[in-house]
Amino acid sequence: MSYFDTFIVLTLLEDIFKGAKDLATSPETAGCFWGIVVGLIVVLSTALLLVSIVG
């Protein structure tokens, strides 16, 4: 991976995290954003629990 590729990846990550921060702090979108985050945590935790029980 060249320095240019690393720069592009870091720039994209910065844009993604800036967008996430804007969604999380905006009064219009904060409820939906945090609902999705909590939903993902619940789904992933349930999947991990099932895998640990079955596996």
Side-chain angles (χ1 to χ4, degrees), residues 9 23 25 27-29 31 36 40 42 49:
V9 168
L23 284 175
T25 56
E28 298 88 27
T29 58
I36 291 171
L40 283 173
V42 168
L49 180 66

Side-chain angles (χ1 to χ4, degrees), residues 5 14 26 30 38 43-44 53:
D5 293 337
E14 180 184 9
S26 172
V38 169
V43 167
L44 292 175
I53 290 172

Side-chain angles (χ1 to χ4, degrees), residues 4-54:
F4 181 73
D5 293 337
T6 304
F7 174 75
I8 293 298
V9 168
L10 290 176
T11 303
L12 287 172
L13 286 174
E14 180 184 9
D15 289 343
I16 289 169
F17 284 116
K18 183 181 181 303
K21 182 187 79 100
D22 291 342
L23 284 175
T25 56
S26 172
E28 298 88 27
T29 58
C32 182
F33 175 81
W34 289 113
I36 291 171
V37 169
V38 169
L40 283 173
I41 290 171
V42 168
V43 167
L44 292 175
S45 298
T46 304
L48 184 62
L49 180 66
L50 287 174
V51 167
S52 66
I53 290 172
V54 172

